[in-house]
Amino acid sequence: MQLLPGFRDFYPEDCARRNYILAKWREVARRYGFVEYDGPVLEPMALYEKKSGGELVGQLFDFEDKGKRHVAMRPEMTPTLARMVAARERDFKKPLKWFCVPQFFRYEKQQRGRLREFYQLNCDIIGEASPAADAELIAVTIDMLRALGLTQHDFVVRVSSRHVLVDVFGEKLNLKDEGELTGFFEILDKIDRTDPERSDAALKSFNTSVADIRVWLQQIREQILDPTSYQSGVSAGTHSAQMHELLHNHLRPRGLMEFVDVDFTIVRGLAYYTGVVFEVFDRSKNERALAGGGRYDGLLSLMSDGKVNLPALGFGMGDVVLANLINDTPAAKAQMEAWLAQERACSVYVVIAKEDRRADALALVQSLRDAGHRVDFPLVAGKVGKQFQTAEQLGAKHAVVVGDEWPRIRLKTLASREEIELDPADLLARL
Ligand code: HAM
């Protein structure tokens, strides 16, 4: 029987690599004070139809269950999170900083960086409208990747803002309603990947061109990246001034400016985003986006029919693209290999040199395991040489030999070949 396309078997070595990424994600999320939550794998189809919107709706694994409900396997977390928070909003002190590491399902065309089943870290902050929260979120995104051994030479966070785009283009192009805006965003979203002639043709109805748009985007980009530009003149509180504040007041002091750029061709495909949005890319541009997110200030209100109105923002980072990038980045790969070797290694291998002593050896194995050591031993009788070979293969640091010397044992440090004889009662203290 064949594996379904886009799904994965996790053999132990694959599982270990996945666990490495998940362990680092959890470590950094906690470092930033995020707490873990989770939700159901199956949700009503309507949740995603109404809240995710965009191309995601066409990628759902949906079906009718035995109770005739139209359900879908989760393709993302944001609608679930919004539902959960809206339901018990009063129970939590704001801002909430929540993270999760769920498995998602999307019926996408299988390709490099895109599968039909993947893991995605989500970090979200709910209940804080200040640009300080956007910066905290971008900082945690950066540190997730730094913790995996990646540097500013390997990836870049491209920050944009739907509000700034509306401010600039709403006026310049006289975009009157949501429909025109969405149509324009769709062209902008693909402008880097589309033949300019085709984009120009699409932009005709907006009375503009790729060249004009690039000039405007570059002007506003330079203004926002310039640390001195908003001290006088532009009034504080405008959307572009808020983006400036995010970068220069909140990210610069952390020393993280080398990891970010401003790029207004980032608009994001999901319907719920409102203000600042961002995506993370590898510098070599070999991969799809590593992560993406932004503000979705209207979603909780939408979810609760206006009862709960809280600003919110978050991002998702997938394991598939990330694993590709780690594999292609020597320093990051070496760090992962070292972690994996340590994870794999057993600390003590108990060699049973005399089968009569098996009961004594088992008692010793049990006491070492009780003390928290990772211990292995031969389940059936075998030659001593073979047992030492197994100990080496398992990466054991020590071998303990139970045999002729009983009630004394031998402790061997495998790397240095150093050996001492001792009483079993003294073993724990020597390890
Ligand atoms: P998204 O851009 O759809 O955002 O996904 C975020 C990341 O998940 C992508 O950049 C990519 O690394 C990974 N990803 C997405 N689809 C696939 C796939 N088919 N195979 C492998 N990896 C994939 C969201 O999902 C938003 N809900 C993120 C968010 C959280 N926004 C606010 N809070």
Side-chain angles (χ1 to χ4, degrees):
M1 207 67 112
Q2 293 246 315
L3 195 63
L4 286 169
F7 284 79
R8 296 184 270 179
D9 286 329
F10 286 94
Y11 286 92
E13 72 264 32
D14 309 313
C15 230
R17 286 195 194 97
R18 179 192 70 191
N19 291 347
Y20 168 66
I21 291 176
L22 267 53
K24 289 289 172 189
W25 280 348
R26 288 200 162 96
E27 181 190 311
V28 177
R30 297 213 171 99
R31 234 193 263 163
Y32 272 74
F34 283 76
V35 292
E36 190 164 355
Y37 71 102
D38 204 350
V41 175
L42 214 59
E43 288 271 23
M45 174 71 176
L47 181 73
Y48 304 115
E49 279 173 329
K50 288 201 195 116
K51 317 298 183 215
S52 301
E55 58 181 5
L56 201 62
V57 178
Q59 299 171 337
L60 291 170
F61 274 91
D62 62 306
F63 55 93
E64 194 173 88
D65 74 3
K66 291 196 172 82
K68 304 248 177 279
R69 297 172 203 91
H70 192 180
V71 294
M73 294 173 74
R74 60 183 176 190
E76 64 154 336
M77 205 63 186
T78 314
T80 300
L81 172 66
R83 175 176 55 68
M84 286 170 67
V85 174
R88 284 188 44 197
E89 175 264 318
R90 282 161 200 270
D91 295 348
F92 310 109
K93 199 169 144 27
K94 314 303 175 295
L96 274 70
K97 290 166 84 176
W98 285 13
F99 83 97
C100 61
V101 190
Q103 195 171 17
F104 291 144
F105 305 89
R106 294 186 190 182
Y107 201 91
E108 286 204 59
K109 189 160 168 269
Q110 187 188 344
Q111 54 191 293
R112 186 173 166 90
R114 284 293 176 273
L115 298 175
R116 290 181 174 170
E117 173 240 314
F118 58 98
Y119 288 82
Q120 192 197 68
L121 163 75
N122 277 243
C123 291
D124 291 83
I125 302 176
I126 295 180
E128 183 50 68
S130 155
D134 300 72
E136 176 79 345
L137 194 73
I138 291 172
V140 73
T141 310
I142 294 169
D143 277 342
M144 288 291 167
L145 298 170
R146 288 177 67 216
L148 288 158
L150 298 164
T151 69
Q152 70 271 29
H153 306 298
D154 304 316
F155 71 91
V156 59
V157 183
R158 290 154 71 180
V159 188
S160 175
S161 160
R162 285 193 176 186
H163 279 145
V164 173
L165 285 169
V166 172
D167 290 351
V168 174
F169 290 108
E171 199 181 315
K172 276 198 161 70
L173 303 180
N174 193 23
L175 302 174
K176 284 184 289 294
D177 55 36
E178 201 61 31
E180 282 191 350
L181 213 58
T182 310
F184 177 68
F185 280 177
E186 274 169 16
I187 302 170
L188 197 57
D189 182 38
K190 297 192 174 65
I191 209 161
D192 281 342
R193 287 169 276 149
T194 311
D195 169 23
E197 272 172 31
R198 279 189 59 189
S199 297
D200 273 334
L203 287 167
K204 262 229 160 70
S205 60
F206 296 99
N207 281 323
T208 187
S209 66
V210 174
D212 279 350
I213 291 194
R214 291 216 182 273
V215 170
W216 291 332
L217 293 184
Q218 188 58 15
Q219 273 172 1
I220 181 83
R221 172 179 176 271
E222 279 169 19
Q223 193 179 339
I224 289 172
L225 278 175
D226 177 358
T228 62
S229 60
Y230 283 84
Q231 272 154 18
S232 59
V234 181
S235 64
T238 64
H239 296 120
S240 51
Q242 281 174 4
M243 235 180 123
H244 190 267
E245 181 189 333
L246 184 179
L247 295 179
H248 301 289
N249 297 12
H250 300 292
L251 281 182
R252 191 175 288 285
R254 304 180 199 219
L256 297 179
M257 281 301 280
E258 286 172 318
F259 294 90
V260 294
D261 195 1
V262 170
D263 182 345
F264 287 108
T265 63
I266 303 286
V267 290
R268 306 276 298 137
L270 293 153
Y272 46 67
Y273 290 113
T274 50
V276 168
V277 287
F278 63 92
E279 286 186 351
V280 186
F281 287 90
D282 65 303
R283 291 266 187 199
S284 59
K285 292 200 171 157
N286 287 336
E287 310 287 345
R288 309 272 310 256
L290 283 153
R295 274 213 175 259
Y296 50 96
D297 286 345
L299 189 60
L300 272 94
S301 171
L302 191 71
M303 192 63 78
S304 62
D305 297 320
K307 284 189 213 80
V308 178
N309 191 6
L310 285 172
L313 63 158
F315 73 89
M317 179 182 289
D319 68 323
V320 182
V321 185
L322 190 53
N324 288 346
L325 185 59
I326 291 171
N327 261 326
D328 291 344
T329 311
K333 192 173 180 185
Q335 180 185 308
M336 176 178 74
E337 295 298 342
W339 189 94
L340 293 174
Q342 211 182 9
E343 269 291 296
R344 248 188 332 256
C346 88
S347 62
V348 184
Y349 193 87
V350 175
V351 172
I352 305 178
K354 228 174 152 218
E355 218 22 56
D356 302 354
R357 290 283 155 224
R358 181 165 284 269
D360 299 311
L362 286 177
L364 199 64
V365 165
Q366 189 68 27
S367 66
L368 290 171
R369 285 178 174 166
D370 283 349
H373 290 282
R374 192 187 292 196
V375 184
D376 222 327
F377 69 99
L379 289 175
V380 294
K383 291 208 174 83
V384 171
K386 260 269 164 61
Q387 292 187 42
F388 270 104
Q389 239 176 26
T390 308
E392 301 270 4
Q393 280 160 2
L394 292 173
K397 213 164 153 205
H398 301 285
V400 170
V401 186
V402 180
D404 283 331
E405 303 86 354
W406 192 264
R408 305 232 342 136
I409 54 174
R410 279 185 290 131
L411 171 66
K412 195 163 173 174
T413 306
L414 289 174
S416 63
R417 312 256 155 217
E418 239 174 275
E419 198 179 297
I420 53 165
E421 205 182 284
L422 74 168
D423 195 280
D426 299 329
L427 179 59
L428 275 178
R430 303 291 304 218
L431 288 172

